[in-house]
Amino acid sequence: MAGGFGTRLWPASTSLRPKQFLGLPQQAPGVKTEKEENRSFFGAALDRALAVTGDSGGNVIIVAGKNHISPIVEECSRLSAPELKRLTLIPEPLAINTAGAIACALVYIDLTAGEGRSVLVLTSDHIIEPLEVFKADAGAAAAMARADKLVVFGIPPTRPETGYGYIEAADPLAIPPREGGHSQYQPEVFGVESFHEKPGAEKARQFIAAKNFYWNSGMFAFSSGFMLAEFHRSAPDVIVPFRKLLAPSSHSRATMKGLTVLEHWAGIEAAYKSAKAISFDYAIAEKCVSTVVVKAGFSWTDVGSWDEYSKLAGYTGAEVYAAGAAKGSCFVNSDIPVALCGVQDLIVVVRSGKDGGPGAVLISKKGESQHVRGIVEEIKAARRTELL
């Protein structure tokens, strides 16, 4: 899933080039590869998807906004011809949240590959490493998915975070036999007691103390036939409009720098306009009675604020001058030179507009960048959406 607008990293992240197409924090551990050092969040997720499906020769479906075809094509153009053959981009005519994106991909799979496929749903805006541990966890998830389970990936919490949803785990479960399941690292799987929405500070502390709560990563695994039935049972107002689609014809597809793009899938716009806009968690996960959680053995970073980004990056892409300022205490992300005078503990993000996007400046005290979301709402209320 490569939709979303990443408003928490405004003004670098905008509707024209949202977070998933920004460069990874340059000093983030484990994000540089021999392939390319300066990948985007999306590029790293793409490499992850290709790696985890590589042994089976599985296909990768990218679901993203139609306004973002260009950066996706550019990112995919670095791939080899065999890798490109495994990719298909479905451009969304409008954003209707994650349930619609997953329903659309499911119907495409059903029409082009048939039922009984194991499906792994990945996000495109997180940092995950190491890859080998992620592949092992994904293998355990695939084994549970083949047993008709909805699998969610739970992240062991490191702090009483109020910005994430939580999964309450039940008893441990045995994992069915799977390929590659004999390494030294062995994934852990648990039943799911319940889902919990973003808590207040006290409730978050209680979750941490209980030691059986995990952050909801937004990644899932399931078999396609099982999940289609779950959609019809719990969210028919999401799936039924997509079930009216026919298999894409050859005229539906365009090839852009080797990437297959479903530019003209007949009926998709009507399906998106008719389907209910709702998250997958609300529509399916919280209602499903056959849900399990894989405890993530990999490290996972959401990078959901400039504070988090700054801890990973340093002076990313900025020419900074300082006088009477604690330069090392400030984080600057700018496409033009910035001078600091007599300040400390600031986050400064500047976009000049020279790349064709909106020009804007964000100045925040360190530790307060969560208020960027509120700034975005103020901009919307002022009807200055061209800044977004």
Side-chain angles (χ1 to χ4, degrees), residues 272-317:
Y272 266 82
K273 287 181 177 178
S274 300
K276 182 178 180 179
I278 188 173
S279 72
F280 183 79
D281 291 88
Y282 283 144
I284 301 295
E286 294 184 6
K287 300 176 183 177
C288 183
V289 297
S290 300
T291 305
V292 301
V293 57
V294 171
K295 176 183 175 181
F298 52 87
S299 69
W300 174 92
T301 308
D302 179 43
V303 198
S305 71
W306 280 113
D307 279 296
E308 289 188 47
Y309 196 104
S310 68
K311 291 174 184 175
L312 295 170
Y315 290 99
T316 310

Side-chain angles (χ1 to χ4, degrees), residues 95-353:
I96 58 171
N97 217 316
T98 52
I102 292 172
C104 180
L106 266 176
V107 168
Y108 175 79
I109 291 167
D110 187 55
L111 291 171
T112 59
E115 291 189 4
R117 299 286 175 163
S118 295
V119 180
L120 176 65
V121 178
L122 301 181
T123 53
S124 62
D125 57 354
H126 298 150
I127 295 174
I128 290 174
E129 55 102 20
L131 179 58
E132 288 306 312
V133 175
F134 177 75
K135 287 175 66 176
D137 283 344
M144 299 303 294
R146 286 190 290 270
D148 282 344
K149 302 292 184 183
L150 166 59
V151 186
V152 297
F153 290 81
I155 311 299
T158 57
R159 60 186 184 274
E161 174 62 52
T162 60
Y164 303 148
Y166 285 73
I167 304 162
E168 183 179 0
D171 295 333
L173 301 173
I175 304 172
R178 63 199 187 283
E179 293 184 11
H182 304 291
S183 63
Q184 187 174 1
Y185 168 72
Q186 293 298 319
E188 297 180 72
V189 179
F190 301 85
V192 170
E193 186 69 31
S194 59
F195 288 82
H196 297 263
E197 295 309 310
K198 297 173 183 177
E202 180 56 35
K203 182 64 70 173
R205 285 191 286 269
Q206 292 175 15
F207 289 166
I208 297 291
K211 300 188 182 304
N212 67 322
F213 284 78
Y214 299 94
W215 291 336
N216 187 350
S217 69
M219 299 185 294
F220 308 94
F222 42 75
S223 70
S224 57
F226 169 80
M227 187 47 60
L228 282 169
E230 284 296 299
F231 263 104
H232 280 285
R233 183 179 69 85
S234 297
D237 46 4
V238 176
I239 195 67
V240 168
F242 291 101
R243 291 296 256 173
K244 297 176 182 178
L245 294 171
L246 301 177
S249 68
S250 58
H251 302 294
S252 304
R253 295 176 168 86
T255 302
M256 300 182 184
K257 295 187 177 181
L259 175 66
T260 298
V261 182
L262 286 184
E263 261 200 317
H264 307 291
W265 189 4
I268 190 171
E269 188 165 344
Y272 266 82
K273 287 181 177 178
S274 300
K276 182 178 180 179
I278 188 173
S279 72
F280 183 79
D281 291 88
Y282 283 144
I284 301 295
E286 294 184 6
K287 300 176 183 177
C288 183
V289 297
S290 300
T291 305
V292 301
V293 57
V294 171
K295 176 183 175 181
F298 52 87
S299 69
W300 174 92
T301 308
D302 179 43
V303 198
S305 71
W306 280 113
D307 279 296
E308 289 188 47
Y309 196 104
S310 68
K311 291 174 184 175
L312 295 170
Y315 290 99
T316 310
E319 184 180 349
V320 181
Y321 302 91
K327 179 178 177 179
S329 77
C330 295
F331 170 76
V332 179
N333 183 297
S334 174
D335 60 0
I336 58 175
V338 171
L340 304 173
C341 295
V343 296
Q344 59 183 356
D345 294 329
L346 292 183
I347 291 172
V348 180
V349 184
V350 181
R351 288 299 177 271
S352 64

